[in-house]
Amino acid sequence: DCLNSHDPDAPMYTDLTSASRPWVWQVCTEYAYWQTGAPESNPTSIVSRKLDTEWYQRQCPLLFGEENVPAEPAWQKVNEEYQGWNIKLNRTFYIDGEYDPWRTLSVQSDSAPEPGTNDARYAV
């Protein structure tokens, strides 16, 4: 499948048995967790810069129908419901590594606010 293919009849959009379909639904409607290429200011990128937010968001209506997906994923609602960076959980230990692709979404993200010194979520 070509990156420029926006044929709504292409198998990548019509195969309802695809194992990745539920995950893509969550990304399209809630998470907005697109794994995009590095910005032009970064000379190296392991992911193609053709895979940008706009490219991913064009895929959602083709996969699920324009009337079934929001114009943008509702990540703010998810953060509000689950308290975003400020989530308070008991008996939870985060073990994501430096290169773990999920780290960006965890409380250990480089974008997360600095933890307090007595915050057990950040034990190492």
CSV table of all heavy atoms in Angstrom, one decimal, residues 3-4 15 36-37 66 69 101 115:
chain,number,residue,atom,x,y,z
A,3,LEU,N,1.8,5.2,0.5
A,3,LEU,CA,1.5,6.3,1.4
A,3,LEU,C,0.5,7.3,0.8
A,3,LEU,O,-0.2,8.0,1.5
A,3,LEU,CB,2.7,7.0,1.9
A,3,LEU,CG,3.6,6.3,2.9
A,3,LEU,CD1,4.8,7.1,3.2
A,3,LEU,CD2,2.8,5.9,4.1
A,4,ASN,N,0.5,7.5,-0.5
A,4,ASN,CA,-0.4,8.4,-1.2
A,4,ASN,C,-1.7,7.8,-1.6
A,4,ASN,O,-2.5,8.5,-2.2
A,4,ASN,CB,0.3,9.0,-2.4
A,4,ASN,CG,1.5,9.9,-2.1
A,4,ASN,OD1,1.4,10.6,-1.0
A,4,ASN,ND2,2.5,9.9,-2.8
A,15,ASP,N,-10.8,-4.1,5.2
A,15,ASP,CA,-10.6,-5.3,5.9
A,15,ASP,C,-11.0,-5.2,7.4
A,15,ASP,O,-10.3,-4.7,8.2
A,15,ASP,CB,-9.2,-5.8,5.9
A,15,ASP,CG,-9.0,-7.2,6.5
A,15,ASP,OD1,-10.0,-7.8,7.0
A,15,ASP,OD2,-7.8,-7.6,6.6
A,36,THR,N,5.0,9.6,14.4
A,36,THR,CA,5.4,10.5,13.3
A,36,THR,C,6.9,10.6,13.2
A,36,THR,O,7.6,10.3,14.1
A,36,THR,CB,4.8,11.9,13.5
A,36,THR,OG1,5.3,12.4,14.7
A,36,THR,CG2,3.3,11.9,13.5
A,37,GLY,N,7.3,11.0,12.0
A,37,GLY,CA,8.7,11.3,11.8
A,37,GLY,C,9.2,12.5,12.5
A,37,GLY,O,8.4,13.3,12.9
A,66,GLU,N,-16.4,9.0,7.6
A,66,GLU,CA,-16.2,10.4,8.1
A,66,GLU,C,-17.2,10.7,9.2
A,66,GLU,O,-16.9,11.4,10.2
A,66,GLU,CB,-16.4,11.3,7.0
A,66,GLU,CG,-15.9,12.7,7.3
A,66,GLU,CD,-15.7,13.6,6.0
A,66,GLU,OE1,-15.7,13.0,4.9
A,66,GLU,OE2,-15.7,14.8,6.2
A,69,VAL,N,-15.9,9.3,13.1
A,69,VAL,CA,-14.7,9.7,13.8
A,69,VAL,C,-14.7,11.3,13.9
A,69,VAL,O,-15.2,12.0,13.1
A,69,VAL,CB,-13.4,9.3,13.1
A,69,VAL,CG1,-13.3,7.8,13.1
A,69,VAL,CG2,-13.4,9.8,11.7
A,101,PRO,N,8.4,2.9,23.2
A,101,PRO,CA,7.5,3.8,22.5
A,101,PRO,C,6.3,4.3,23.4
A,101,PRO,O,5.7,5.3,23.1
A,101,PRO,CB,7.0,3.0,21.3
A,101,PRO,CG,7.2,1.6,21.6
A,101,PRO,CD,8.4,1.6,22.6
A,115,PRO,N,8.6,15.3,38.9
A,115,PRO,CA,8.0,14.7,40.0
A,115,PRO,C,8.4,15.3,41.4
A,115,PRO,O,9.5,15.9,41.5
A,115,PRO,CB,8.5,13.2,39.9
A,115,PRO,CG,9.8,13.3,39.3
A,115,PRO,CD,9.7,14.5,38.3
